[in-house]
Amino acid sequence: MTNVKAAGPRPIDVALLASVFVIAACGLLYELAAGALASYLLGDSVLQFSTIIGTYLFAMGIGSWLSRYFEYQLPAHFLRVELMVALIGGALPAVLFLANAYVPGAFRLLLYGMVLLVGTLVGLEIPLVMRILKRNASLKDLVSQVLTFDYLGALAVSLAFPIVLVPKLGLVRTGLLFGFMNAAVAVWALVLFRHELHRLRAHALGCAAVLAVLGGGIAGADHLTRLADDHFYQDRIVMSSVTPYQRIVVTQGRQGARLYLNGNLQFAQSDEYRYHEALVHPVMAAHGAPRRVAVLGGGDGMAVREVLKYATVESVTLVELDPAMTGLFRDNAMMRALNQDALRDPRVHIVNTDAFQWLQQESGTFDAIIVDFPDPTNFAIGKLFTNSFYALLDKRLAASGYAVVQTTSPLIARQSFWIVVQTIESAGLLATPYHVHVPSFGEWGFVIASHRPWREPATLPSGLRFLSLPGMRLMFDFPLDMARLPAEVNRLSNQVLVTTYEREWGKVEH
């Protein structure tokens, strides 16, 4: 009997398996990009990622089902699908950014339409590859090999997306780059199956056209981003950065600099002093002689600037999740001028970590804690407004200390404001709410949390531009349209604040 050695995999099969790795990485990248964009521009990251992933997987199921109708010329169909995925998926971030700037009313429709289309095309890819490979492999080997490369590609991009791609390239250039990779797979298929393809010239021209469009997009990615941003923001953009946590934009206009996080205004130079003086001084001055201070959030250093006006302060711990924020406001000359070099003061210690985790791990107590987080637009931020968070805050607050929490608008988001008050009280702290008018935001609210009743201070630091003792007294009076309402407690298990906030602010054009 003659022993026959099993033939190894053909080069064409190895090439196709390598392409599975690439198309899996590209497919997941488009899904992650759509989810990130939705969370940046629509808020509520859990809801957006959940609906995007669900829609994308549903669309992939449609694509897999449709693959049964492709019976002949499978390499040609695979090549055309790759080119369509490359063009639509690669352009997805750029198109959505432009849509948000120029036709915001159509953003959701376009978002889910493109996700459905890209998902359907991606759902066609793997079945077509498997059927092409089936010519020379057993089903058992085929499934194991294809799924192995598919999962490896997904793993690679899931790690690279937040760590390397978004911080280094930005969403627009990342999308276009991966579209280029999809188109490169199409070129690969063109070479591999050139003897089977009818109309080879037409396919080659299609590949060249898509590569040219995507290559031009990569070269002009910065221009595309500026085109969208310049229309969306009122003033000239002087700095724009996408980090693993958020999109940071700084603009400069006639009224000075403005900071936006994920499209939401955080401060305007023309009136930020009103906000930050009202945030910091009612608690700092009431304490009398604060030595140890923590600032949670507030990576722009404005709150730290106000804290450092007290000679008794020995140390300030600034806890900010995003190192890009503290880096910008510590190193950029224009930003340093705004916070008066507060982040370079030797008394200031910057900790780039999640504030919830920091409170869990910190062992000391503080005389004053300034809580200056963005509004609860998603569950990741909403957890920082829960009774669990305030219970941790309670442990880190000295017996004679005061904490203050920025708490959105008691006029526009009245129910949300009083949910925060109710939640602070549920953690065993006394809650003392107050409000101030900041022209860039309108009526804005804060809540003092403490173990002892808050008492009006006798003095304030010199050199304040807005706050005075008589004016401070008025901030604690709530007119009828902002008066207290019955409210639920915001818990980690329900996050009622996020949905309430979205409902109330959703009624307002902002």
Side-chain angles (χ1 to χ4, degrees):
M1 180 178 292
T2 304
N3 291 325
V4 180
K5 188 177 180 180
R10 298 184 311 157
I12 192 170
D13 296 339
V14 174
L16 279 173
L17 287 171
S19 73
V20 170
F21 180 92
V22 175
I23 62 180
C26 293
L28 183 61
L29 185 283
Y30 305 140
E31 184 179 359
L32 292 173
L37 268 168
S39 63
Y40 284 170
L41 303 174
L42 300 177
D44 190 352
S45 57
V46 174
L47 174 64
Q48 303 308 329
F49 268 100
S50 179
T51 54
I52 291 295
I53 291 170
T55 302
Y56 195 82
L57 292 176
F58 170 72
M60 287 181 67
I62 294 174
S64 296
W65 180 79
L66 289 175
S67 67
R68 64 191 295 183
Y69 296 104
F70 293 79
E71 297 182 8
Y72 307 104
Q73 283 289 301
L74 296 182
H77 291 311
F78 174 71
L79 188 152
R80 286 191 286 265
V81 167
E82 284 304 296
L83 290 179
M84 287 189 286
V85 173
L87 197 56
I88 301 168
L92 184 145
V95 169
L96 290 177
F97 267 127
L98 291 169
N100 182 63
Y102 289 90
V103 283
F107 178 81
R108 286 179 187 269
L109 180 62
L110 190 59
L111 169 67
Y112 286 98
M114 293 189 76
V115 168
L116 271 169
L117 185 53
V118 173
T120 301
L121 291 169
V122 170
L124 280 166
E125 290 176 314
I126 298 300
L128 289 175
V129 170
M130 291 181 72
R131 288 169 63 187
I132 294 170
L133 287 168
K134 189 180 176 182
R135 303 166 177 177
N136 297 287
S138 68
L139 182 61
K140 179 183 69 173
D141 293 337
L142 175 63
V143 171
S144 66
Q145 290 171 351
V146 169
L147 292 183
T148 297
F149 279 86
D150 185 62
Y151 295 148
L152 286 173
L155 173 64
V157 82
S158 66
L159 295 174
F161 184 77
I163 298 172
V164 178
L165 297 172
V166 172
K168 300 296 183 184
L169 300 178
L171 274 174
V172 171
R173 184 173 277 111
T174 295
L176 291 164
L177 174 63
F178 274 72
F180 197 90
M181 290 166 60
N182 259 135
V185 170
V187 173
W188 201 343
L190 179 74
V191 174
L192 291 175
F193 300 106
R194 61 189 179 279
H195 300 302
E196 297 183 42
L197 293 172
H198 304 316
R199 301 168 58 194
L200 181 64
R201 181 181 176 83
H203 286 112
L205 288 173
C207 290
V210 172
L211 286 170
V213 170
L214 293 169
I218 293 170
D222 291 337
H223 178 72
L224 287 171
T225 304
R226 283 196 301 270
L227 190 65
D229 286 345
D230 289 346
H231 193 272
F232 182 80
Y233 298 101
Q234 300 175 14
D235 301 319
R236 179 176 59 89
I237 293 169
V238 294
M239 200 286 299
S240 178
S241 173
V242 177
T243 78
Y245 307 104
Q246 59 198 346
R247 187 160 185 258
I248 304 171
V249 172
V250 178
T251 66
Q252 181 71 40
R254 286 181 297 176
Q255 295 185 330
R258 289 173 180 255
L259 171 69
Y260 295 85
L261 299 181
N262 295 339
N264 299 311
L265 179 66
Q266 301 303 301
F267 74 73
Q269 184 178 352
S270 60
D271 57 21
E272 59 81 14
Y273 64 91
R274 280 179 162 248
Y275 172 91
H276 290 103
E277 288 183 10
L279 171 70
V280 171
H281 296 296
V283 295
M284 291 289 289
H287 185 279
R291 294 184 303 109
R292 297 190 74 227
V293 180
V295 178
L296 311 184
D300 52 38
M302 308 297 188
V304 175
R305 177 195 66 199
E306 300 301 317
V307 167
L308 293 174
K309 291 178 180 178
Y310 292 81
T312 59
V313 171
E314 297 174 0
S315 68
V316 182
T317 303
L318 172 61
V319 182
E320 163 63 49
L321 178 63
D322 193 348
M325 272 289 290
T326 49
L328 172 66
F329 283 87
R330 183 191 59 230
D331 302 329
N332 181 278
M334 184 174 75
M335 301 297 105
R336 287 169 51 197
L338 293 178
N339 62 34
Q340 297 174 7
D341 266 342
L343 301 189
R344 291 178 170 235
D345 191 287
R347 291 170 290 176
V348 177
H349 175 55
I350 298 173
V351 181
N352 293 123
T353 190
D354 178 80
F356 202 107
Q357 295 177 8
W358 180 81
L359 284 176
Q360 290 176 318
Q361 297 163 4
E362 178 64 26
S363 57
T365 60
F366 296 85
D367 300 313
I369 303 177
I370 314 299
V371 183
D372 191 19
F373 298 130
D375 276 7
T377 54
N378 59 60
F379 293 122
I381 302 174
K383 74 175 184 180
L384 305 174
F385 289 82
T386 60
N387 60 344
S388 299
F389 180 83
Y390 297 132
L392 294 172
L393 194 72
D394 178 25
K395 295 178 180 179
R396 301 282 74 82
L397 188 63
S400 60
Y402 294 108
V404 62
V405 180
Q406 92 77 14
T407 319
T408 195
S409 170
L411 180 62
I412 295 173
R414 183 179 174 187
Q415 188 75 47
S416 298
F417 180 85
W418 293 107
I419 285 176
V420 176
V421 175
Q422 183 72 30
T423 304
I424 289 173
E425 291 175 342
S426 76
L429 291 161
L430 298 173
T432 308
Y434 63 101
H435 63 98
V436 68
H437 183 75
V438 182
S440 294
F441 297 107
E443 206 65 35
W444 212 255
F446 309 87
V447 183
I448 296 171
S450 58
H451 299 124
R452 58 171 175 155
W454 179 83
R455 288 184 173 84
E456 183 182 325
T459 61
L460 289 170
S462 61
L464 301 187
R465 299 172 61 189
F466 165 68
L467 199 61
S468 65
L469 291 176
M472 185 187 297
R473 211 165 294 129
L474 298 174
M475 297 193 309
F476 292 82
D477 178 61
F478 280 77
L480 292 177
D481 59 354
M482 293 191 293
R484 185 160 189 167
L485 295 171
E488 294 182 62
V489 173
N490 187 44
R491 307 177 190 276
L492 279 174
S493 58
N494 64 18
Q495 292 252 26
V496 66
L497 178 61
V498 174
T499 52
T500 304
Y501 176 90
E502 280 200 335
R503 184 181 70 248
E504 292 184 310
W505 276 100
K507 299 176 182 176
V508 182
E509 293 294 331
H510 66 287

